[in-house]
Amino acid sequence: MIKNLPEGYTLLSPQGKEAFVRYLELRWKVLREPWQQPRGTEFDDQEDSSFHLMIQRANGEVVACGRIQQIDASTAQVRYMAVDEAARGLGLGAIVLTALEAKAQEWGLNKVFLQARENAVPFYVRCGYQTTATTFLLYETIQHYKMEKVLSA
């Protein structure tokens, strides 16, 4: 899984306040700022009960991130997946997603679901997810789709 990480990049869970601030900054920059959403909309009340991953460059710049949380006895949800525009195409999103799925398996879970923005659906399909429902419209312009994946034993 991590063997595909490009040289000069590190996959890790943000440790300490400074690292978590850099992690949240990428989430805001990619998922909220383009739609003029205020700071504070890039996190929620589930942060402490979730597992977080990020990929950073040697200089500490966070370029990819994601979060997973257990929903019930068999299911986890991936949220806040983001890859900096300048780092897209390097496979970083797939590396974060694969590592989050591995965490779900470590927890003994066998299914992962997420809410994918329309433009991200092809990425998740390539990663083995299937669309199960058209769900909500975010900011009146971004259609979301519920997608699921059954994890192999």
Side-chain angles (χ1 to χ4, degrees):
M1 139 185 87
I2 300 172
K3 65 182 183 225
N4 296 327
L5 198 61
E7 188 174 331
Y9 293 85
T10 306
L11 175 67
L12 67 156
S13 186
Q15 300 297 313
K17 183 177 180 179
E18 182 183 319
F20 202 73
V21 166
R22 289 185 286 114
Y23 165 84
L24 289 175
E25 178 65 21
L26 178 67
R27 284 180 17 180
W28 180 76
K29 177 183 170 186
V30 173
L31 302 173
R32 301 298 188 252
E33 182 183 31
W35 292 272
Q36 295 80 47
Q37 297 304 301
R39 293 204 184 258
T41 59
E42 71 278 10
F43 61 88
D44 61 31
D45 63 355
Q46 300 298 308
E47 302 299 342
D48 290 342
S49 61
S50 299
F51 178 74
H52 307 267
L53 281 176
M54 65 185 193
I55 295 177
Q56 67 181 21
R57 291 191 172 118
N59 66 3
E61 178 189 9
V62 177
V63 295
C65 66
R67 179 183 102 179
I68 194 164
Q69 63 194 93
Q70 186 169 349
I71 300 301
D72 60 34
S74 63
T75 309
Q77 181 180 13
V78 169
R79 298 196 65 201
Y80 297 108
M81 286 285 297
V83 177
D84 186 81
E85 190 172 347
R88 292 182 187 158
L90 299 175
L92 303 179
I95 291 168
V96 169
L97 185 59
T98 300
L100 292 174
E101 292 169 354
K103 180 54 80 171
Q105 288 179 304
E106 183 182 309
W107 291 339
L109 309 178
N110 61 16
K111 186 169 84 172
V112 174
F113 82 94
L114 51 85
Q115 296 285 343
R117 292 178 180 198
E118 188 166 26
N119 67 325
V121 167
F123 163 76
Y124 290 112
V125 168
R126 286 192 306 274
C127 293
Y129 285 76
Q130 294 182 342
T131 303
T132 60
T134 301
T135 54
F136 61 94
L137 198 60
L138 183 66
Y139 312 137
E140 300 178 17
T141 59
I142 307 169
Q143 185 61 61
H144 279 67
Y145 298 88
K146 183 177 181 183
M147 301 186 78
E148 296 180 355
K149 180 178 182 178
V150 174
L151 302 175
S152 58

